[in-house]
Amino acid sequence: MLRRILAIFLLCALLLTGCTTVYTDAASSVLPYNTASSKPAAESETPPADEEDNTDATIAVGASAGSSTAGAPVTSEDEVRAIYDGTDMTIYSITPYNGDFLVRYSPAPDNGPWWLDWIYGQNGTRVKLMFCDQGIRECEIQAAGSIRVLTDGQNSEWAYRSFPHIQYATAILNQDENGAPVFDEDLYYYSSSETYWADITEPVSMGMAGRRETVIDMVMSVAGVDIAFGPPVDLEGFGSFYADVCTPPAAEFSYDADSRVLSVIFRDTSLSSGDVPVLDDEFLRNHYAKQLEETGVTFPTGFPSGPLEGSNPLIVSADVEESDADTLLKLVLTEDAAAYTVESGYTGPDDNGPYLRLILRERGSW
């Protein structure tokens, strides 16, 4: 009974994190510490159904699911492919490892989502290690039944792109007297996540393109820089900002080594919401007023261009300005700034007030 409870707990933990970004909040002078989860509500955290065994952590190949009877050995890639015959899944890659196989497959192999299975060659036991709804940059086998995945952040179901992150998964198996894995219904796997720290010279893109947003607040903090976003004031821009789900705008990070400037371009983003529109149509006027009341937004909003307030030991200076339809943030960094990561979330309520938190890491701090 204890093993079954532990198995269910670990499976739920993996499905909640999946291969999606884990967000940890650092203290900030702008944003609350205990912000809500930054994962956009439209992004599914539960793997879509593929087969009748999609809720099982493991299944036995060559034996009925739930049985402790081992199946036949699997010794070749052709035998691995035969396992997936009759499914709607396309195998993207098969990686042999000391007589076992790591299988990456998807119903849409051009862009995912992805499943990663471990197949033990001795008796064909198949462990469904990971579901990943983001593109995969790297997949490293660390040991038998144990993998490390680095995502590119691009969601396979919709246009949002988060910062890359790292996910680990390891099969937890019993073995028989010959060292072969033993299948039973209580088999489970262990999963954990890790923040990805990009080298300061690595360019990264994230957010969602095609959204007009405004900067509500921006400040340097002990972690780096916090940026909160809101809607433009016009009726069309205001409505599209809250359509479906709020996300941060498309953001592009790049570094110039000669000047030590880390530049962040927020696409289709301004520093001012604009003036409140005068609506002659009574229906539109009432509709606009109702939207303002429901979201709690107060217009107009504006953030000044120029130097940012606050300080950070790795930032010499920070300036923000509008550049055509975009907003440009320039950070002059010290020589000790070596890596960065970006968290995202909502200041609330619900998914209102999307924000980004740029966090800098000092050289030699890991």
Side-chain angles (χ1 to χ4, degrees):
M1 177 62 70
L2 180 59
R3 289 180 59 210
R4 184 182 299 275
I5 293 174
L6 180 59
I8 294 172
F9 172 79
L10 290 171
L11 176 58
C12 291
L14 180 59
L15 291 178
L16 286 173
T17 57
C19 195
T20 52
T21 306
V22 174
Y23 303 91
T24 56
D25 293 324
S28 164
S29 55
V30 175
L31 306 172
Y33 181 83
N34 58 342
T35 53
S37 169
S38 58
K39 189 180 181 77
E43 184 174 351
S44 172
E45 294 191 89
T46 304
D50 58 333
E51 306 167 22
E52 65 275 12
D53 61 14
N54 71 295
T55 56
D56 295 335
T58 61
I59 65 172
V61 177
S64 60
S67 167
S68 60
T69 302
V74 175
T75 60
S76 69
E77 291 191 17
D78 288 341
E79 291 177 347
V80 171
R81 293 185 184 278
I83 294 169
Y84 298 87
D85 287 347
T87 72
D88 61 352
M89 297 293 171
T90 299
I91 293 179
Y92 178 82
S93 65
I94 300 173
T95 305
Y97 183 84
N98 294 340
D100 299 336
F101 301 89
L102 173 66
V103 185
R104 176 178 167 185
Y105 60 100
S106 173
D110 290 338
N111 61 349
W114 302 102
W115 282 262
L116 293 110
D117 292 357
W118 191 270
I119 297 180
Y120 288 88
Q122 286 178 285
N123 59 7
T125 295
R126 171 184 168 195
V127 180
K128 305 183 79 173
L129 279 179
M130 185 182 295
F131 167 81
C132 191
D133 59 2
Q134 297 179 4
I136 295 177
R137 280 176 52 177
E138 300 174 7
C139 183
E140 174 191 354
I141 298 175
Q142 297 192 305
S146 181
I147 61 174
R148 172 190 180 273
V149 168
L150 171 62
T151 77
D152 64 8
Q154 180 61 62
N155 189 277
S156 59
E157 302 293 337
W158 60 307
Y160 183 73
R161 190 184 193 108
S162 63
F163 200 79
H165 87 284
I166 298 169
Q167 187 81 18
Y168 297 90
T170 300
I172 309 297
L173 295 171
N174 294 320
Q175 296 179 330
D176 63 18
E177 63 277 8
N178 298 316
V182 177
F183 176 85
D184 66 56
E185 61 183 5
D186 290 332
L187 291 180
Y188 55 90
Y189 51 81
Y190 172 77
S191 176
S192 62
S193 296
E194 179 179 305
T195 298
Y196 175 69
W197 290 93
D199 185 89
I200 202 67
T201 62
E202 179 184 338
V204 174
S205 297
M206 63 177 299
M208 179 175 283
R211 291 173 55 85
R212 287 194 296 123
E213 305 198 17
T214 62
V215 173
I216 300 298
D217 206 350
M218 185 181 297
V219 67
M220 282 190 289
S221 67
V222 66
V225 179
D226 298 322
I227 312 103
F229 302 94
V233 74
D234 63 280
L235 189 60
E236 180 183 358
F238 183 80
S240 64
F241 181 84
Y242 289 104
D244 296 327
V245 62
C246 288
T247 70
E252 301 167 8
F253 299 79
S254 61
Y255 181 74
D256 181 76
D258 293 333
S259 61
R260 297 204 309 273
V261 171
L262 178 63
S263 298
V264 188
I265 300 177
F266 301 104
R267 297 297 183 185
D268 297 313
T269 301
S270 62
L271 294 177
S272 172
S273 66
D275 296 327
V276 177
V278 177
L279 301 173
D280 296 328
D281 185 278
E282 183 179 0
F283 173 79
L284 291 179
R285 188 166 60 249
N286 292 337
H287 177 68
Y288 187 70
K290 183 178 180 181
Q291 284 188 311
L292 291 177
E293 181 181 358
E294 290 176 349
T295 57
V297 174
T298 301
F299 283 128
T301 62
F303 188 82
S305 61
L308 295 187
E309 294 183 356
S311 63
N312 180 279
L314 298 178
I315 300 176
V316 177
S317 64
D319 291 271
V320 63
E321 63 182 15
E322 288 187 349
S323 176
D324 296 327
D326 308 321
T327 288
L328 174 62
L329 170 64
K330 288 187 176 182
L331 305 175
V332 179
L333 305 181
T334 70
E335 294 181 351
D336 292 329
Y340 70 102
T341 192
V342 180
E343 300 173 347
S344 60
Y346 299 101
T347 59
D350 301 322
D351 66 349
N352 292 341
Y355 72 84
L356 294 177
R357 176 174 291 141
L358 168 65
I359 302 174
L360 298 170
R361 185 178 245 188
E362 185 177 7
R363 196 177 308 281
S365 61
W366 68 93

